Amino acid sequence: MTHFYRALLLVLLCCMTLTVPVHAQQRNESPLISGSFRNMTFQDFVQRLETRLPYKFYYEQAVADSLMVNLEVEGEPLNQVLAQILKGTDYKFAITEQRQVFITRQNPIMTNLPSNFFKDEEEAKRNSQMATPAYLPQQQDNKKRIQSEIKLYEIGTPNGSKTGKANLAGTLRDANTGEPIIGAHIYIESPSIGTASDQYGYYSLSLPVGRHELNIRAVGLKNTKRQVILHSDGKLDIEVEEDIRSLKEVLVEAEKDRNVTGLQMGMERLDIRTIRQVPTAFGETDILRVVLTLPGVKSVGEGATGMNVRGGSTDQNLILLNDATIYNPSHLFGFFSAFNPDVIKSVELYKSAVPARYGGRLSSVLEVTSREGNKKQFSGTGGIGLLTSRLTLEGPIIKDKTSILVGGRSTYSDWLLKKIPNKSFSNSEASFYDVNTHISHEINEKNSLYLTGYMSKDRFKLAADTLYRFQNQNASLKWKHNFHNKLYSVVTGTYSHYGYDISNEENAANAAKMDFGISQTGMQIDFNYFPDSKHTLDFGASAIRYEVNPGSLVPNHAESLIKADKLQQEKAIESALYLSDRYDINQNLSISAGLRYSFFTALGQRDVLQYAPGMPKTLGTIVDTVAYGNGKSIATYHGPEFRLSARYVLSGNSSVKVSFNRLRQYVHMLSNTATMAPTDTWKLSDSNIKPQVGDQVAIGYYRNLRANTIEFSAEAYYKWMQDFLDYRSGASIIMNHHIETDVANAEGKAYGVELMLKKATGKLNGWVSYTYSRTMVRLDDPAVSEVINRGEWYASNFDKPHDLTMISNYRFSQRFSTSVNFTYSTGRPITLPLGKYYDGASHRILYSDRNQYRIPDYYRVDLALNIEGNHKIAKLAHSSWTVAVYNLTGRKNPYSVYFKSQKGQIRGYKMSIFGHPIPTITYNFKF
């Protein structure tokens, strides 16, 4: 009986073996494959087979990047399965008796030498070339990369210990330019441990000692890996090559599951390649226009660069260029972005769960990072358009150590305006230029310096005597110091200035010049500490000194009747301390907690008006004027800013995230328009103007589909805002010595749902986003003489409930691609005149409740065709053409509605910025 049970057990084991999806048969037979392999990359297919078969695959990375597997098989031999996958491609396969599978281009390798191999020298040479292993490509660059991938790197000093953990750190750089790689994913699969490179390309991993295969994935760069033996703490710097994407499939591998596994929510990251694909007005790649296509980000209308993020006003966004604040991010009243696309590397937008290192604004942080410049060789890029041209030069000062990048843009619209026969245009002026400079220097292995400079100037006069001139000046200097693998610091000094002047002199009696300026000087120190694979600590401190010249008015002609006037200068210091910790409790649950404590002190020398307590602030309630000496404290505010977030992975392709943050804002923009304009002024908090405070809670669901090639996200948020500025009816903000009498601290609320579907693979890719949101304001402060809308909630100027955007890109071939952009949004609120009446002898207008009505809805379609030159490597310069049509349908989207009294009747008019299709053509070049 014992023999019977043994025989039965043997039969059952054999049956079980035959029923597994992949059947391993005799050594000299091709194994049988069963399973569903749908929408799977070739690399994922290979990994699946290698875990179930004693076979090892060898292939160059181009195979993994260019092939997709899409089949179902049942008991088919491996050689037949491979033949199906490679059918119609240039790739061949060969299988050896040692269970090695070689994938090669054009010719399969020979697994056995012919009998006359050594007899015929020429034939032997030819066969030897054919027998080149598939993992050693003949191209020199690929050969170097593959050699790096199969080389074994010993990290640290052997100490005999085979247990415990050690830290592996280093910098990721572009193999062609030497620039750091931002946002690359560095990980090992078993155990699953990974991280992302920061803005300096730096990464730090705490791994078990021993042998590991380190995988590196980055957008637009070839996937690569490194074989390491980790003995103790050590460094491994990695160079990654640029990827020429296959026509057959485009797959963004870098952090392809970040949508699900990443802890950060409410954050959008755009690289310059994505930004260039979106068509914009006048053919100029526009960073801010692309940001406006993201869910939760809106603008009040055409030609407006200011952003409204999740119900916030345009001044509630902190816009940074290499950590220096940009106060006016536009040229020519919003028609062009202030950022030269040729010098920008990446853009990150934080809408919620704002990291603790950032502060000073309520709604969002837009961090723009510039490129460092080519450390290997001199190169240049540029473009010539209908209205603007640009040129960027870069190269090494000391090869592999010091690089410089200089980029400039200018417009020749002045010259074009002079050629128009209409005097209204020929007498107009519209021009700008900007210059970017970046110098990067590696002092030694532990110390690096980064210097950034930016300057822009605009000049604008359209069919009128009034001339507008405004300018930005920004600079930042960073010193990065590595204490050891787990700790580094960055000390940053910044300077930002924005100013404008408005002048007219045609009418001598009214000739005048008015100017405004705001400057800030800042210092910040940030520490990044990686104690182990589960913890990431960030902490630091910052201080900013503000100086504001609110305005001055001087006569601009000897016969001018304008009286000189000047508002008092304002000064203040804002400082903060912060600490945050990210902790991975387990593979599914991660949390992040942070605290930022900010301080603000308004300083003299100033005379400050005092008002009767508990009474509305009017000229009639002024009771005193207090003079504060230079540097004396006028008012002090401080408070905590909490940052909390958590992520729970529901499955391998879905997760839930929640967050809460509080932010404080001590500077306010004063504007008489719904959008950001160069004539806006800024006001510091003081004893009469309180700082703004905002709280936001958000929850989101995230899911990846089709092997992480499609991302879906749904986020809902609710935001409370206190003490932000709104305006009384008929408020005057220009040259106002007592602005607190025309503004009031209002409260606001905003809530909404944001949906986004993003496809990052295939000839057709892009994203669709939909946002439903409301933004409401209430002004019922008893200290205000006028209560708006009877103290009830009313829509803010930028409340647009529905917003739908579609960005699609289709590549016909390696040289031809097209992009289509569709945008729809609800019209913004407006206050309308309802009738007219007489009050005694005076003629009055009866207006509706504030923002009771809306202008017509907005929609627009844009189309672009990109034509690239041939891809020959040995060329002096590579070029491309972009032909685009902005507002393809020619819809006259109203920017505003205004009214005129004509012959005793009030008539309404709609004003459109772009009422016709705008065709553009741009020539781009690179050398």
Side-chain angles (χ1 to χ4, degrees):
M1 185 67 80
T2 303
H3 295 291
F4 170 77
Y5 285 123
R6 289 180 179 176
L8 180 61
L9 179 61
L10 180 61
V11 171
L12 290 174
L13 288 175
C14 291
C15 293
M16 291 174 63
T17 304
L18 291 174
T19 57
V20 295
V22 181
H23 305 270
Q25 302 202 356
Q26 294 183 15
R27 185 182 186 124
N28 59 351
E29 296 180 1
S30 182
L32 301 183
I33 309 297
S34 297
S36 176
F37 307 97
R38 291 292 184 185
N39 300 312
M40 182 180 295
T41 66
F42 185 77
Q43 183 174 358
D44 291 338
F45 171 76
V46 169
Q47 290 176 353
R48 185 168 169 181
L49 289 191
E50 287 183 340
T51 59
R52 304 182 182 185
L53 287 175
Y55 279 72
K56 178 65 177 176
F57 285 72
Y58 299 92
Y59 54 91
E60 59 180 316
Q61 189 62 41
V63 180
D65 293 343
S66 60
L67 293 180
M68 291 291 288
V69 180
N70 192 8
L71 52 80
E72 289 187 5
V73 292
E74 182 66 35
E76 292 191 24
L78 174 61
N79 56 353
Q80 293 183 19
V81 173
L82 290 176
Q84 292 182 56
I85 295 173
L86 301 180
K87 184 179 179 180
T89 72
D90 292 335
Y91 296 105
K92 310 296 181 183
F93 71 91
I95 304 176
T96 71
E97 292 183 358
Q98 290 73 34
R99 294 170 177 167
Q100 297 169 307
V101 182
F102 297 104
I103 310 295
T104 54
R105 187 186 294 272
Q106 295 182 343
N107 297 312
I109 71 169
M110 299 180 64
T111 59
N112 294 291
L113 296 179
S115 58
N116 63 343
F117 180 81
F118 294 104
K119 296 179 181 179
D120 188 335
E121 183 177 347
E122 291 301 321
E123 185 179 354
K125 181 178 180 180
R126 181 168 62 255
N127 290 333
S128 175
Q129 290 174 347
M130 292 176 63
T132 301
Y135 53 86
L136 293 178
Q138 297 178 17
Q139 293 84 355
Q140 188 62 33
D141 290 344
N142 283 346
K143 180 178 179 180
K144 181 180 178 181
R145 175 172 59 84
I146 299 300
Q147 288 175 341
S148 298
E149 291 184 351
I150 63 176
K151 176 183 176 181
L152 185 60
Y153 295 86
E154 290 200 48
I155 309 297
T157 304
N159 53 19
S161 174
K162 296 184 179 180
T163 60
K165 290 189 175 183
N167 184 269
L168 176 64
T171 302
L172 266 64
R173 295 189 180 276
D174 189 307
N176 297 321
T177 66
E179 289 206 47
I181 305 300
I182 300 176
H185 196 36
I186 308 99
Y187 67 95
I188 64 172
E189 293 182 345
S190 181
S192 179
I193 299 175
T195 188
S197 58
D198 63 14
Q199 69 180 98
Y200 305 100
Y202 188 81
Y203 73 94
S204 180
L205 284 170
S206 182
L207 304 174
V209 297
R211 176 76 178 264
H212 298 287
E213 182 173 89
L214 195 66
N215 298 280
I216 299 97
R217 304 287 185 265
V219 174
L221 299 170
K222 290 182 178 179
N223 299 337
T224 188
K225 56 189 175 183
R226 294 294 184 269
Q227 310 297 327
V228 299
I229 292 183
L230 187 61
H231 299 293
S232 60
D233 292 355
K235 290 192 66 178
L236 178 63
D237 294 334
I238 303 171
E239 289 192 341
V240 189
E241 296 177 358
E242 185 178 7
D243 182 26
I244 299 176
R245 297 184 177 184
S246 164
L247 168 63
K248 198 167 184 180
E249 286 293 336
V250 178
L251 179 60
V252 179
E253 286 284 351
E255 297 185 271
K256 61 184 180 181
D257 61 347
R258 178 176 55 86
N259 180 54
V260 172
T261 61
L263 178 57
Q264 182 69 49
M265 70 177 300
M267 190 269 280
E268 305 287 348
R269 176 182 293 142
L270 296 171
D271 65 277
I272 193 63
R273 298 172 188 234
T274 304
I275 294 171
R276 289 186 189 279
Q277 291 181 315
V278 181
T280 56
F282 307 121
E284 177 81 26
T285 299
D286 195 316
I287 291 173
L288 295 183
R289 297 286 174 214
V290 179
V291 171
L292 288 172
T293 67
L294 300 174
V297 186
K298 303 180 182 182
S299 174
V300 296
E302 202 92 64
T305 302
M307 303 183 303
N308 303 111
V309 180
R310 290 190 172 179
S313 59
T314 54
D315 69 322
Q316 293 176 352
N317 306 303
L318 179 63
I319 301 177
L320 301 172
L321 174 61
N322 291 352
D323 286 330
T325 303
I326 303 292
Y327 278 94
N328 181 23
S330 67
H331 288 300
L332 296 185
F333 287 82
F335 292 123
F336 294 91
S337 164
F339 302 107
N340 183 345
D342 288 342
V343 304
I344 300 305
K345 176 182 288 186
S346 64
V347 177
E348 290 185 349
L349 174 69
Y350 297 92
K351 299 178 293 184
S352 63
V354 177
R357 69 181 295 262
Y358 299 112
R361 300 294 189 274
L362 287 195
S363 290
S364 74
V365 176
L366 183 69
E367 185 178 34
V368 181
T369 304
S370 70
R371 298 192 295 113
E372 291 186 5
N374 197 320
K375 284 186 168 68
K376 305 287 187 178
Q377 60 185 1
F378 282 97
S379 61
T381 57
I384 301 173
L386 296 179
L387 294 178
T388 63
S389 290
R390 65 189 191 276
L391 177 64
T392 300
L393 301 174
E394 58 187 299
I397 299 175
I398 303 174
K399 191 172 182 180
D400 295 327
K401 288 183 67 70
T402 308
S403 63
I404 184 171
L405 179 147
V406 178
R409 285 191 304 171
S410 183
T411 180
Y412 27 82
S413 49
D414 265 354
W415 177 79
L416 292 174
L417 288 172
K418 301 299 182 186
K419 300 298 181 181
I420 300 177
N422 189 318
K423 288 187 177 181
S424 296
F425 292 97
S426 60
N427 292 331
S428 299
E429 298 179 27
S431 64
F432 74 85
Y433 73 85
D434 57 42
V435 179
N436 292 79
T437 302
H438 187 91
I439 298 175
S440 171
H441 175 60
E442 186 176 332
I443 302 173
N444 53 40
E445 193 179 59
K446 290 184 174 293
N447 297 279
S448 300
L449 290 176
Y450 308 89
L451 175 63
T452 301
Y454 171 76
M455 181 180 70
S456 71
K457 287 192 176 182
D458 285 67
R459 184 182 177 93
F460 187 88
K461 181 175 73 171
L462 184 60
D465 173 49
T466 304
L467 174 65
Y468 299 85
R469 294 183 298 188
F470 44 97
Q471 62 178 351
N472 277 305
Q473 294 175 354
N474 298 84
S476 68
L477 176 63
K478 297 184 179 184
W479 168 39
K480 179 175 179 286
H481 175 70
N482 290 336
F483 294 93
H484 48 74
N485 277 8
K486 297 183 178 182
L487 176 65
Y488 76 83
S489 67
V490 180
V491 179
T492 305
T494 62
Y495 172 77
S496 300
H497 171 78
Y498 171 68
Y500 69 81
D501 65 72
I502 305 171
S503 62
N504 65 81
E505 54 185 14
E506 186 172 304
N507 186 336
N510 295 321
K513 179 180 179 181
M514 184 182 69
D515 60 23
F516 163 85
I518 180 171
S519 300
Q520 71 173 59
T521 305
M523 182 67 69
Q524 182 165 327
I525 181 168
D526 302 295
F527 292 91
N528 296 84
Y529 180 51
F530 312 94
D532 55 49
S533 59
K534 292 188 174 183
H535 273 281
T536 301
L537 284 172
D538 299 322
F539 55 96
S542 63
I544 300 173
R545 178 179 174 85
Y546 297 98
E547 291 188 6
V548 180
N549 293 309
S552 65
L553 182 69
V554 295
N556 204 24
H557 194 279
E559 299 179 4
S560 176
L561 302 178
I562 297 297
K563 183 180 178 181
D565 191 13
K566 185 174 183 178
L567 301 180
Q568 296 182 88
Q569 186 182 50
E570 299 181 12
K571 298 179 183 179
I573 291 179
E574 179 183 346
S575 57
L577 300 169
Y578 76 89
L579 169 66
S580 67
D581 179 22
R582 169 179 171 155
Y583 180 57
D584 298 328
I585 298 175
N586 54 46
Q587 203 166 16
N588 293 331
L589 180 60
S590 296
I591 62 172
S592 177
L595 175 64
R596 178 184 179 91
Y597 203 96
S598 59
F599 307 82
F600 181 88
T601 302
L603 302 174
Q605 186 175 1
R606 279 180 61 196
D607 294 338
V608 179
L609 297 176
Q610 305 292 310
Y611 297 86
M615 298 291 291
K617 291 184 175 64
T618 65
L619 295 180
T621 59
I622 297 175
V623 296
D624 196 7
T625 300
V626 178
Y628 292 88
N630 188 30
K632 298 297 183 180
S633 174
I634 297 175
T636 299
Y637 299 96
H638 59 86
E641 303 178 26
F642 305 102
R643 315 292 165 88
L644 297 169
S645 59
R647 180 227 65 206
Y648 185 78
V649 177
L650 301 173
S651 64
N653 59 0
S654 64
S655 67
V656 174
K657 305 176 188 179
V658 295
S659 69
F660 168 80
N661 59 235
R662 162 170 285 196
L663 298 104
R664 298 176 184 271
Q665 180 170 335
Y666 300 100
V667 295
H668 317 263
M669 187 178 71
L670 304 177
S671 176
N672 57 2
T673 63
T675 181
M676 181 177 286
T679 55
D680 298 332
T681 62
W682 292 79
K683 176 78 175 71
L684 302 179
S685 297
D686 56 25
S687 55
N688 292 317
I689 302 291
K690 297 178 182 179
Q692 307 174 45
V693 180
D695 297 308
Q696 181 183 182
V697 61
I699 184 171
Y701 173 74
Y702 309 82
R703 185 177 181 86
N704 285 3
L705 308 169
R706 297 184 62 182
N708 290 325
T709 60
I710 296 179
E711 298 179 0
F712 171 76
S713 63
E715 292 188 17
Y717 67 90
Y718 197 100
K719 182 190 291 186
W720 304 264
M721 294 169 283
Q722 305 172 32
D723 295 326
F724 73 92
L725 295 186
D726 205 350
Y727 303 92
R728 302 177 182 179
S729 300
S732 173
I733 64 172
I734 303 297
M735 298 302 298
N736 191 333
H737 288 266
H738 36 78
I739 188 65
E740 60 271 12
T741 63
D742 278 333
V743 300
N745 291 108
E747 61 176 319
K749 62 180 180 181
Y751 53 89
V753 176
E754 301 169 358
L755 305 177
M756 187 171 187
L757 188 67
K758 186 175 183 180
K759 184 176 184 290
T761 180
K763 289 184 177 182
L764 177 65
N765 59 80
W767 67 86
V768 178
S769 66
Y770 169 75
T771 303
Y772 173 78
S773 63
R774 297 304 310 271
T775 307
M776 310 298 289
V777 181
R778 182 167 66 183
L779 207 166
D780 59 352
D781 188 348
V784 178
S785 58
E786 177 188 11
V787 175
I788 306 298
N789 280 22
R790 303 168 300 280
E792 300 174 358
W793 291 99
Y794 59 91
S796 71
N797 289 334
F798 33 87
D799 175 64
K800 302 169 74 173
H802 300 282
D803 187 278
L804 175 66
T805 300
M806 181 188 74
I807 304 294
S808 62
N809 308 298
Y810 185 80
R811 180 169 289 277
F812 298 98
S813 67
Q814 292 284 15
R815 295 186 57 193
F816 296 93
S817 64
T818 186
S819 301
V820 178
N821 176 21
F822 171 79
T823 300
Y824 165 83
S825 64
T826 309
R828 67 179 178 87
I830 190 173
T831 304
L832 296 179
L834 302 178
K836 59 182 180 180
Y837 63 95
Y838 286 92
D839 182 11
S842 300
H843 183 215
R844 305 286 186 183
I845 302 296
L846 175 64
Y847 286 93
S848 67
D849 284 347
R850 181 172 291 190
N851 291 342
Q852 184 177 356
Y853 298 94
R854 295 182 181 274
I855 64 175
D857 292 352
Y858 176 99
Y859 73 81
R860 193 189 75 245
V861 179
D862 308 322
L863 176 66
L865 176 65
N866 305 300
I867 308 170
E868 297 186 18
N870 65 62
H871 292 163
K872 294 181 180 179
I873 297 177
K875 291 181 64 177
L876 178 63
H878 294 264
S879 62
S880 66
W881 292 87
T882 300
V883 181
V885 180
Y886 184 84
N887 192 15
L888 182 65
T889 62
R891 175 174 168 81
K892 295 182 179 180
N893 288 301
Y895 175 77
S896 65
V897 176
Y898 63 96
F899 299 85
K900 286 185 177 181
S901 179
Q902 296 177 337
K903 297 180 180 180
Q905 292 186 343
I906 299 177
R907 297 182 179 272
Y909 298 87
K910 295 188 298 183
M911 184 183 74
S912 298
I913 303 296
F914 301 123
H916 302 279
I918 301 177
T920 61
I921 183 169
T922 305
Y923 174 71
N924 305 291
F925 57 87
K926 183 177 182 180
F927 58 88

